[in-house]
Amino acid sequence: ARYVVEKALQDKQSIVIRAQGEARSAEMIGRALTDNPGFVKLRKIDAAKEIATTISRSANTVYLSADSLLLSLLREPED
């Protein structure tokens, strides 16, 4: 029973630490967006790289446009 209680306490602490890290990350991203609007473009490029990497590892053939890879960076965002 002691093991179960200790494991539950460790799980709770892990969840709290993860939530604090995510909150800190959100604060940092918010500041970066405020200080540097180019940060959004950088995040889009990172997302496109991740999508392209995932698709390239697939055995399937996939055809994507630049828009589907979130690469429409030259266009201004529509409000």
Side-chain angles (χ1 to χ4, degrees):
R2 180 182 292 169
Y3 169 78
V4 174
V5 171
E6 287 181 17
K7 182 166 180 2
L9 289 173
Q10 287 179 354
D11 290 345
K12 178 182 173 183
Q13 184 178 10
S14 171
I15 291 168
V16 169
I17 290 171
R18 184 177 303 119
Q20 289 172 339
E22 289 176 2
R24 177 89 170 122
S25 174
E27 288 174 10
M28 292 173 71
I29 289 172
R31 271 187 268 139
L33 288 171
T34 302
D35 296 344
N36 185 4
F39 182 74
V40 174
K41 289 185 181 181
L42 180 62
R43 295 290 288 203
K44 284 184 177 183
I45 291 170
D46 286 341
K49 283 174 45 179
E50 186 175 334
I51 292 167
T53 300
T54 301
I55 291 173
S56 71
R57 291 185 182 145
S58 172
N60 300 325
T61 301
V62 179
Y63 296 97
L64 298 171
S65 68
D67 288 338
S68 45
L69 280 175
L70 307 173
L71 289 178
S72 54
L73 299 175
L74 298 177
R75 275 190 253 148
E76 291 298 318
E78 296 176 12
D79 293 325

